[in-house]
């Protein structure tokens, strides 16, 4: 089996690649990644050096490169797994164009290439396409929830999902989709909530909570996302959307306090800072259909334990994140004010 993994040098893509190489010896993995600021060359360096993974540094909007890579996928089970995207909401607010480029034009380019070669595609998306929920809403997002994206990031992800669905219906493209909740784990960029707070504490800086911290996110360990994607590749039905989540809802405030506790700084050893404009209040995924139909279940459901492993990973891999930390914090400092 041959897989072409787009965005495989980023956070979730690289974890997917690492697990695949470790657990599926019969799978040949090629990664295409344009190595934006979000990709760290060190992330896949060991796998590339041993030849376990082929890394092609190119943009998914480059139709010529895409054609040559997708044309190699000639087996019935071969597939493209599409992680590549601009992924950070805060960046999408300050500069939306790269999001339109990678998330919409990139997905369009990939769809046309897969259509031309009749190649299977799995499209990775997010729960943010559904907008947000009230804190006390008993409902969670399901496959039927209407799309109502709030930010330029989630609007471009919603657009890409719509393109994939149209290519399935109009051209018979063999595609599946998945919408997952907030991931955490190793190799996540330090611009994101959990690694930012962990590395702030490791660096002697104060963690930063947007607004009051009442916003709720539904956390899943990245390895559980990977196992769900494999369940879809193995047993998913063409044209279907699968929701992926691990019932890990927490307010940002609770999560911040947990990180502070685990890292031995006072529970209130953080700053409240300027809130994100248009900040979605709550995400929550109902993954029951994915669990029932694919026999998938998340394994790393103890968030405290998962956080401890993640803290340990960032403590042990300073050389991975330190080179970019200063730049990320300088960027935040330009707009962030302590409340
Ligand atoms: P990330 O920003 O860490 O990685 C994205 C990767 O895509 C980077 O390596 C980047 O260089 C690459 N990339 C971006 N534009 C590209 C282009 N035009 N051509 C080639 N490569 C390009 O993001 P992530 O958190 O790993 O997210 C991966 C996917 O999962 C995204 O599609 C995202 O929308 C989705 N997702 C993320 C989460 C989350 O919590 N992080 C949750 C649900 C879904
Ligand atoms: O310093 C911070 N302080 C803070 O309070 C940062 C960086 C974030 N936050 C808040 C904003 C959110 O409510 O924490 C929450 C999580 O923020 P992010 O890590 O930026 O994630 P989010 O905006 O929820 O989006 C993530 O989950 C869905 C991913 O980045 C997306 O790619 C994915 O689609």
């Amino acid at each position: 089996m041959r897989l072409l993994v787009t965005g495989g040098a980023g956070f979730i893509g690289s974890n997917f690649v690492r697990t695949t190489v470790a657990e599926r010896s019969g799978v040949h993995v090629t990664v295409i990644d344009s190595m934006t600021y979000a990709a760290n060359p060190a992330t896949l360096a060991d796998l590339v050096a041993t030849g376990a993974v082929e890394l092609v540094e190119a943009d998914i909007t480059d139709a010529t490169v895409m054609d040559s890579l997708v044309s190699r996928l000639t087996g019935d089970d071969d597939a493209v797994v599409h992680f590549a995207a601009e992924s950070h909401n805060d960046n999408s607010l300050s500069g939306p164009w790269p999001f339109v480029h990678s998330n919409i034009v990139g997905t369009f380019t990939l769809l046309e290439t897969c259509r031309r070669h009749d190649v299977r595609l799995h499209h990775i998306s997010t729960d943010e396409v559904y907008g947000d929920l009230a804190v006390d809403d008993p409902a969670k997002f399901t496959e039927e929830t209407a799309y109502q994206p709030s930010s330029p990031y989630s609007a471009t992800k919603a657009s890409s999902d719509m393109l994939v669905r149209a290519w399935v219906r109009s051209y018979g493209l063999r595609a599946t989709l998945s919408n997952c909740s907030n991931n955490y784990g190793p190799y996540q960029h330090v611009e994101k909530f959990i690694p930012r707070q962990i590395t702030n504490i490791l660096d002697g800086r104060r963690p930063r909570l947007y607004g009051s911290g009442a916003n709720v996110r539904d956390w899943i360990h990245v390895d559980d996302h990977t196992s769900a994607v494999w369940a879809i590749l193995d047993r998913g039905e063409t044209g279907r959307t699968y929701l992926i989540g691990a019932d890990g809802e927490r307010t940002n405030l609770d999560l911040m306090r947990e990180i502070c506790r685990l890292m031995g700084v006072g529970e209130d050893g953080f700053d409240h800072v300027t809130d994100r404009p248009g900040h979605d209040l709550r995400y929550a995924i109902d993954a029951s259909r994915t669990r029932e139909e694919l026999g998938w279940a998340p394994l790393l459901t103890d968030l405290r334990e998962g956080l401890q492993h993640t803290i340990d990973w960032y403590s042990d891999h300073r050389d991975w994140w330190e080179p970019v930390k200063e730049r990320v914090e300088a960027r935040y400092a330009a707009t962030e004010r302590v409340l």
Side-chain angles (χ1 to χ4, degrees):
M1 181 183 193
R2 300 180 80 96
L3 286 186
L4 176 63
V5 180
T6 75
F11 164 46
I12 306 175
S14 67
N15 276 283
F16 173 83
V17 165
R18 204 163 276 286
T19 303
T20 299
V21 167
E23 294 178 1
R24 305 238 172 182
S25 54
V27 179
H28 180 275
V29 178
T30 302
V31 166
I32 175 169
D33 198 299
S34 58
M35 305 303 284
T36 69
Y37 82 93
N40 184 332
T43 300
L44 290 181
D46 56 331
L47 298 180
V48 172
T50 60
V53 167
E54 179 191 8
L55 173 61
V56 177
E57 188 172 335
D59 197 300
I60 56 165
T61 60
D62 184 331
T64 309
V65 175
M66 289 312 292
D67 197 82
S68 80
L69 294 176
V70 172
S71 66
R72 295 192 210 161
L73 305 176
T74 49
D76 276 352
D77 293 335
D78 294 355
V80 178
V81 186
H82 178 33
F83 293 94
E86 286 290 334
S87 69
H88 192 35
N89 273 298
D90 292 328
N91 293 342
S92 83
L93 293 162
S94 54
W97 165 246
F99 291 74
V100 173
H101 171 84
S102 291
N103 303 2
I104 303 179
V105 182
T107 301
F108 165 79
T109 310
L110 187 53
L111 287 168
E112 282 294 82
T113 314
C114 289
R115 172 161 85 98
R116 215 165 26 251
H117 294 283
D118 186 24
V119 165
R120 176 168 182 203
L121 169 72
H122 180 66
H123 174 68
I124 304 287
S125 192
T126 169
D127 57 1
E128 298 194 17
V129 298
Y130 300 115
D132 60 354
L133 297 163
V135 169
D136 57 358
D137 192 333
K140 295 186 174 192
F141 300 137
T142 71
E143 289 80 356
E144 275 77 43
T145 304
Y147 275 37
Q148 206 169 11
S150 320
S151 73
Y153 163 67
S154 50
T156 57
K157 289 300 291 186
S159 306
S160 65
D161 293 10
M162 294 301 177
L163 290 174
V164 176
R165 289 177 179 197
W167 260 243
V168 169
R169 173 149 175 180
S170 300
Y171 301 118
L173 186 79
R174 292 184 292 133
T176 39
L177 302 90
S178 55
N179 295 75
C180 187
S181 62
N182 279 62
N183 285 221
Y184 75 99
Y187 298 102
Q188 186 168 28
H189 198 280
V190 295
E191 68 190 352
K192 301 282 169 53
F193 181 77
I194 290 178
R196 185 180 184 206
Q197 315 315 334
I198 294 172
T199 55
N200 271 10
I201 295 172
L202 290 172
D203 235 6
R205 303 170 199 252
R206 283 173 72 81
R208 301 288 186 135
L209 185 68
Y210 293 172
S212 67
N215 308 68
V216 175
R217 294 295 181 267
D218 188 358
W219 295 97
I220 182 171
H221 192 278
V222 64
D223 288 347
D224 283 327
H225 189 176
T226 288
S227 68
V229 171
W230 266 109
I232 297 165
L233 288 171
D234 287 338
R235 300 184 288 284
E237 207 181 291
T238 294
R240 284 286 307 278
T241 291
Y242 295 93
L243 263 54
I244 304 171
D247 299 319
E249 284 189 70
R250 291 287 186 291
T251 65
N252 292 343
L253 178 62
D254 283 348
L255 195 58
M256 179 67 98
R257 287 191 169 141
E258 186 74 62
I259 293 169
C260 288
R261 262 196 305 273
L262 289 170
M263 297 190 72
V265 297
E267 264 204 1
D268 295 316
F270 60 88
D271 293 326
H272 291 270
V273 295
T274 341
D275 208 350
R276 173 184 284 172
H279 198 171
D280 279 341
L281 186 54
R282 173 175 165 238
Y283 307 137
I285 282 276
D286 176 354
S288 48
R289 216 182 283 175
T290 305
R291 287 173 179 253
E292 285 156 22
E293 291 185 19
L294 300 181
W296 168 83
L299 297 176
L300 303 156
T301 49
D302 183 335
L303 184 56
R304 193 165 180 274
E305 194 184 325
L307 278 175
Q308 185 62 61
H309 287 149
T310 307
I311 292 165
D312 293 344
W313 190 88
Y314 282 91
S315 308
D316 294 343
H317 292 82
R318 280 178 170 270
D319 53 337
W320 185 85
W321 57 266
E322 270 177 346
V324 299
K325 180 68 180 167
E326 192 62 49
R327 184 163 38 85
V328 169
E329 286 307 314
R331 195 150 177 228
Y332 276 124
T335 51
E336 221 168 60
R337 297 283 166 266
V338 175
L339 300 175

